[in-house]
Structure formats: C-alpha cells, structure tokens
C-alpha cells in the first residue's frame, strides 16, 4: 500500500523535512509530518515494524 | 378516574400556574407561565437540530466516485465509498455504488454480491469532537436497510483506544462496545438499536455494519443516524451544501496551480486555501499534472491551506498545475 517513501524539504520555508512523498496504492502522494494524519501514522508503524524505509530528502 | 380519551379544544392552567402533563405518575411535559415547553424525556422531532453524529448518513455526497460503481477489493485496506463511509470485504471483490433511493430518500449505498464473498463491512468513524459527549450515556443507532439475499446484518460499535486513532484493519486500536444483529428483508425497512456508550468512550466512535456470504443479490443501506438518547427520531435531513462542507473536513478534491518567472535553482511557492478547514493536515495526491521549468515539485499540506512548491530548472517562465485530492480521514 505504501511504497517508494522519501522525505522532501521546503528550502523556502526551511522545513526539513516538510513531508513524505510516497506512493499510496500506486498514486504519488504528499504526506505531512503530522501525528494526527492517518497515513503518517500508518507509515511510521510500517517503519517501526521494519516493513518500510523512508529515503532521506534528495537521495 | 379510568383511562380514556379526553377530547377538548383548550386546556387552561389558569393564571400564574404552569400546565403539566404527566405520564406514569410523573411530569412529562411542562408548559410554564411564559409558554416555554420543558420535556422530561426526549422530544422525538421531525425537524433538524443537528442531532445526527453520522456525517453523510443519507449517502448524498460522493466526492470520490460521483455515483460511479467502485470495486471493493477483498482483503485489501479499507476503501472509502460515499463520503465518510468506508467498506472492506473478504473472500472475493464486491461492487459498491451510490444508487437512487425511493421518493424522499434520494440516495442510498448498495453492494452487489459476488461468488465466494464471505463478508462485507460498511462503517464510519466519528471524530471525538462530534461524539465525546455521548460517553456514559445511551445513544440510538438507526439505519434503513434491505438485503435481497441475506436476512442478518450485524452491527458493532467500538471506541478508539486513543483519541481519533483507530488503527488499520490489520492492526486495529479500538475497544468493542457492543454488538447485535438486525433481521432484514428485501424491502427497505428502518431499524434501530440502543447502545450504552461507556464513559471511557470520549476518544471517537466506530460503527460497523456487516453481512456474511453475500454471494449474490444486493445489500442496500441509507439514512444512517447515531443520536443521543434512547429514542430513534426520524432521519435528520440537512441542506446539501452544509453536508458537503461537513464531508470536506475529511476529504476534498479540487484544482491547484501556480505560474510565473523564476530564477534558476531558486524555489517558489504559491499558497492555496482549502474549501473547508480540514480535520488535520491532509495527505495530498495529484493527477492530470502539467509543469514546465520546475524541479522538486511538491505540495505541502496544512489543515487550512497547502503550498505548491517547485525549484526553477532555469531562469525562465515556469508553471505547475493539476488536480488534487486531500484526505484527512480518521
């Protein structure tokens, strides 16, 4: 469900990271760094379980 | 005095005295000397007082599918259907679709069964802000349903273990409140049940309707309502635009765009407001995107607005536009 996850930055606002770019069911999506966002919750759970890795920004 | 029917044109309490109607030897309705009415129990009204905690209960708002059929994939993550409601199934894929209802019930949601289906679930999660007050009380759940194949629909109520966090289908983080069944038929009928909401359930509620082996036929659902008290009142109708705005707190779709003249390797962004403040910063996806002379394209979502971001590939004109969806579901 969640694949190709990578952090992205916003050099204008200085947010680093500004969010996570990933494919959700094959659709490229931008997920905010927000514990109340259910996609962010799910991504972090997968990371904790070792099932998903988030690439650093710009990698 | 024996029980009977009193036919009278006017009942007058006299000067400076309230009028009290009793039932079971207790005051049920009191009209005070200023003509204010006080009910001891619940007043079952046919009008709207924002009592329904279910959003889009009549299935009228369908931003994702616009009335088109959708496939619910067996064993997959939950799939959102008409706004605020989600579905999941096991055994085999099923089709779901917003359909026309009869007369005053303009829309309903309908599943069409398929061979090898073992279960279908239709549910809504209710944000804590909209139901925390029900904790420690009795609530009433009502729904219109029909099933052309099966006669049993199971309902189950849950509350989130932590505020607005229900987990995933694979790893739910909820506590069951209670469960029961409705015996249904092929004729759309309204059903209701009273649910004792525990005092701990201040964290958000989840109501799930389930059927078993819907291997053929249809399961039709509409006018879903959850309200305070032990009386099932008529379905609360809302102005469509109000209902759409309620749905847009959790999901909305639209168009975005920015353009201008940019210097090479410099960033630019345009900030665009959502139609409605969202529950939290949403996840955003894009489609039909067109861009030129920009790299590192991104959308940075916040609950009230989002930024359209890009970095100039060269010193020249640049643009980035397309369609977006924003999801802040529970």
């Amino acid at each position: 469900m969640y694949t190709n996850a990578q952090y992205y930055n916003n050099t204008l606002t200085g947010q680093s990271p500004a969010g996570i770019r990933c494919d959700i069911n094959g659709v490229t999506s931008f997920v905010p760094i927000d514990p109340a966002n259910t996609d962010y919750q799910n991504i972090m759970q997968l990371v904790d379980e070792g099932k998903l890795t988030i690439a650093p920004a710009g990698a | 005095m024996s029980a009977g029917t009193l036919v009278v044109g006017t009942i007058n309490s006299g000067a400076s005295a309230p009028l009290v109607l009793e039932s079971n030897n207790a005051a049920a309705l009191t009209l005070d000397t200023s003509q204010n009415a006080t009910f001891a129990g619940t007043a079952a009204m046919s009008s709207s007082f924002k009592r329904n905690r279910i959003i889009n209960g009549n299935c009228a708002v369908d931003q994702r599918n616009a009335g088109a059929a959708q496939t619910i994939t067996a064993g997959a993550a939950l799939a959102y259907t008409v706004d605020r409601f989600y579905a999941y199934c096991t055994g085999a894929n099923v089709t779901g679709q917003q359909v026309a209802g009869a007369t005053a019930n303009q829309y309903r949601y309908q599943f069409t069964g398929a061979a090898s289906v073992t279960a279908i679930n239709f549910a809504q999660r209710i944000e804590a802000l909209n139901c925390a007050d029900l904790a420690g009380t009795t609530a009433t759940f009502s729904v219109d349903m029909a099933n052309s194949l099966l006669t049993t629909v199971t309902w189950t109520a849950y509350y989130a273990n932590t505020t607005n966090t229900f987990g995933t289908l694979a790893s739910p983080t909820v506590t069951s409140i209670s469960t029961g069944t409705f015996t249904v038929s092929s004729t759309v009928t309204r059903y209701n049940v009273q649910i004792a909401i525990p005092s701990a359930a201040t964290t958000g509620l989840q109501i799930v309707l389930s059927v078993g082996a819907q291997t053929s036929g249809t399961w039709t659902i509409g006018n879903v309502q959850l309200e305070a008290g032990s009386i099932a009142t008529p379905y609360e109708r809302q102005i469509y635009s109000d209902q759409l705005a309620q749905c847009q707190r959790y999901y909305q779709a639209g168009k975005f765009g920015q353009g201008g003249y940019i210097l090479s390797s410099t960033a630019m962004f345009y900030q665009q407001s959502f139609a409605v403040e969202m529950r939290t910063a949403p996840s955003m996806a894009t489609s039909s995107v067109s861009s030129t002379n920009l790299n590192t394209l991104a959308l940075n979502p916040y609950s009230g607005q989002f930024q359209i971001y890009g970095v100039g590939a060269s010193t020249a004109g640049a643009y980035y536009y397309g369609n977006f969806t924003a999801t802040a579901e529970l």
Side-chain angles (χ1 to χ4, degrees), chain B residues 17-175:
Chain B
L19 179 64
V20 180
L21 297 180
E22 294 187 352
S23 67
N24 196 25
N25 294 322
L29 168 62
T30 301
L31 302 175
D32 67 16
T33 55
S34 298
Q35 292 75 50
N36 298 307
T38 300
F39 294 87
T42 299
M45 299 162 286
S46 58
S47 58
S48 171
F49 284 85
K50 298 285 188 185
R51 61 189 183 280
N52 192 1
R53 312 308 174 89
I54 298 287
I55 293 175
N56 197 33
N58 64 355
C59 306
V61 181
D62 188 13
Q63 294 187 87
R64 292 173 177 83
N65 301 297
Q70 66 181 123
T71 299
I72 312 298
T73 303
L78 53 85
Y80 275 89
T81 59
V82 285
D83 276 58
R84 295 298 296 122
F85 288 99
Y86 62 88
Y88 54 101
C89 64
T90 56
N93 298 349
V94 297
T95 301
Q97 186 172 17
Q98 181 196 55
V99 296
T103 59
N105 303 302
Q106 199 171 5
Y107 297 106
R108 300 191 186 283
Y109 194 77
Q110 187 174 80
F111 293 98
T112 300
S116 302
V117 168
T118 53
I120 306 173
N121 301 271
F122 187 68
Q124 184 168 135
R125 292 169 173 169
I126 306 172
E127 187 177 0
L129 282 172
N130 289 334
C131 62
D133 62 299
L134 298 180
T137 73
T138 296
T140 297
F141 177 72
S142 308
V143 58
D144 289 353
M145 280 192 296
N147 196 307
S148 66
L149 176 71
L150 305 173
T151 58
T152 299
V153 175
T154 300
W155 62 267
T156 309
Y158 303 87
Y159 68 91
N161 293 345
T162 57
T163 300
N164 294 332
T165 302
F166 296 84
T168 61
L169 289 180
S171 302
T173 55
V174 296
T175 299

Side-chain angles (χ1 to χ4, degrees), chain A residues 1-50:
Chain A
M1 180 182 179
Y2 297 94
T3 55
N4 300 322
Q6 181 180 18
Y7 285 110
Y8 62 91
N9 297 330
N10 184 330
T11 57
L12 209 57
T13 62
Q15 286 178 281
S16 178
I20 302 168
R21 181 200 309 262
C22 71
D23 294 339
I24 302 177
N25 296 326
V27 178
T28 299
S29 302
F30 302 94
V31 178
I33 308 294
D34 182 347
N37 179 287
T38 51
D39 286 316
Y40 181 74
Q41 293 169 5
N42 295 340
I43 288 170
M44 288 298 108
Q45 182 177 340
L46 291 171
V47 170
D48 290 344
E49 293 171 351

Side-chain angles (χ1 to χ4, degrees), chain B residues 244-261:
Chain B
L244 174 61
Q246 291 167 12
C247 296
Q248 287 175 324
R249 176 171 170 78
Y250 305 89
Y251 176 89
Q252 53 186 276
K255 297 181 183 299
F256 72 93
Q258 71 161 354
Y261 194 83

